[in-house]
Amino acid sequence: LTDGHDVIQNATGDDVVNLYDMTIEDVASANVTASAIQINTTTGNSLTVESRNSGIGFRLLDGTTWTVNQNTREWSQRS
C-alpha cells in the first residue's frame, strides 16, 4: 500500500493478504462493514477487500496476522 487506493474483490474466508511493508503503526483505521474491510494508512493510501466472509487474514511485516469478523464488525489480532 504505497500509492493510491487498491481494491481486492471476491475474497473468501481462507484468504490472507500479505502486507509485508506495513506494521500496525502504519494503519490509521480499519473500517469493517458487512461486505468489505477498508484499511486506511497513515500516509493516506487505502486497501479495500470486498467479501461477505469473515476470517480474512492480513499478515503484517512483523509476522502478526489480523483477522476480520464481519458479523461483529471487528478487526483484531489473531492469537
Side-chain angles (χ1 to χ4, degrees):
L1 291 180
T2 57
D3 187 26
H5 307 284
D6 298 315
V7 177
I8 297 173
Q9 297 177 322
N10 300 317
T12 68
D14 295 330
D15 289 339
V16 175
V17 179
N18 293 302
L19 302 172
Y20 290 132
D21 60 345
M22 289 184 61
T23 65
I24 195 62
E25 289 80 22
D26 297 321
V27 177
S29 64
N31 304 311
V32 181
T33 69
S35 61
I37 178 171
Q38 181 179 30
I39 298 173
N40 300 297
T41 69
T42 56
T43 58
N45 300 304
S46 69
L47 171 65
T48 301
V49 179
E50 297 175 350
S51 172
R52 295 198 181 277
N53 300 303
S54 292
I56 297 167
F58 295 84
R59 188 172 298 123
L60 303 179
L61 176 67
D62 65 1
T64 60
T65 299
W66 290 72
T67 304
V68 176
N69 183 326
Q70 288 173 301
N71 295 324
T72 61
R73 306 270 167 86
E74 294 178 326
W75 191 60
S76 58
Q77 186 173 353
R78 186 182 291 168
S79 52

